[in-house]
Amino acid sequence: MSDIFVTNKVCRDFIVGKETVHAIKDVSITIQEKKLVALKGRSGSGKTTLMNILGALDYPTSGEVMFQGKNISQASDKERDDIRRYKLGYVFQSFGLLPLMSAYENVEFGLRIADIPKAERKKMAQEALAIVGLSKRMNHRPLELSGGEQQRVAIARAIAHRPAAVLADEPTAELDSRMGLQVLKLFRNLVDNEGLTVVIATHDPAIMEVADVVYTLEDGQVVQGD
Ligand SMILES: Nc1ncnc2c1ncn2[C@@H]1O[C@H](COP(=O)(O)OP(=O)(O)OP(=O)(O)O)[C@@H](O)[C@H]1O
């Protein structure tokens, strides 16, 4: 199986006043295709910083990040934009749905941003909502859905354009444990049945039930991986 993300001694520093915060230090990890990989660790351990770097949303201060064999830390803005738009999908803690649009419209809007032609958008949006089990709720607006359902709409939006990988930052933090587990199992299904690679940053202990590989971060360093 091939590697989809490889980081080599990645560091990210933030300058705050006169101090330098070493948010992540010398992180070297490999993420294989079609796996569910967890980045686990306490608040402040560097999970979001590493996710943003993997997702081409931020640059490392030093070190290399490879995505599908390409060094994205040195890629042009256009190449990075294309990776974000076409190759990756993102899921955030607070769902990020547009409140005045229905579930279907939220997913369809994501497909417009990914430049999917109009003629294909309807079928792709409906398929993505079917995968997350929300075909019957697709005309509901976010506030007419439970938190778990809203997160499933956000997942449908993240997968509808058929990216290679989905990056989810604390996707269960605003859900109770039952709904959180449902969402984690949905990610597991996406890996097993849709051939996606999923990377989840979380401190939710239930991740241990679904992850293939867990990297534990402590003070910006990977202390454990299996
Ligand atoms: N933009 C920034 N400016 C300054 N410091 C930052 C910035 N982003 C992150 N940090 C610092 O880097 C460290 C790692 O933060 P990060 O958000 O990656 O951790 P985290 O594990 O995702 O935490 P949480 O679970 O609370 O989101 C923290 O000490 C944080 O204060």
Side-chain angles (χ1 to χ4, degrees), residues 93-170:
Q93 176 174 338
S94 53
F95 323 138
L97 300 172
L98 294 164
L100 296 179
M101 287 188 180
S102 68
Y104 170 81
E105 287 164 343
N106 267 281
V107 177
E108 204 261 354
F109 183 68
L111 289 168
R112 272 192 249 177
I113 290 171
D115 293 334
I116 303 291
K118 189 164 194 284
E120 291 164 44
R121 291 203 291 261
K122 185 171 179 190
K123 186 162 170 275
M124 288 173 85
Q126 285 175 345
E127 272 175 15
L129 285 158
I131 289 169
V132 303
L134 283 181
S135 297
K136 289 194 179 141
R137 296 263 201 284
M138 67 180 186
N139 294 319
H140 291 234
R141 287 182 185 177
L143 284 177
E144 298 159 353
L145 297 168
S146 71
E149 287 169 339
Q150 289 182 52
Q151 193 57 300
R152 277 150 59 197
V153 175
I155 294 169
R157 185 185 53 190
I159 63 169
H161 60 298
R162 309 211 177 111
V166 172
L167 301 167
D169 194 357
E170 298 280 6

Side-chain angles (χ1 to χ4, degrees), residues 14 16 21 23 42-49 170:
F14 294 102
V16 184
V21 178
R42 289 197 194 127
S43 180
S45 58
K47 302 181 299 294
T48 298
T49 303
E170 298 280 6

Side-chain angles (χ1 to χ4, degrees), residues 164-186:
V166 172
L167 301 167
D169 194 357
E170 298 280 6
T172 63
E174 293 191 12
L175 306 177
D176 65 33
S177 55
R178 192 178 59 88
M179 283 196 189
L181 187 59
Q182 265 183 20
V183 163
L184 293 179
K185 286 187 171 162
L186 170 59

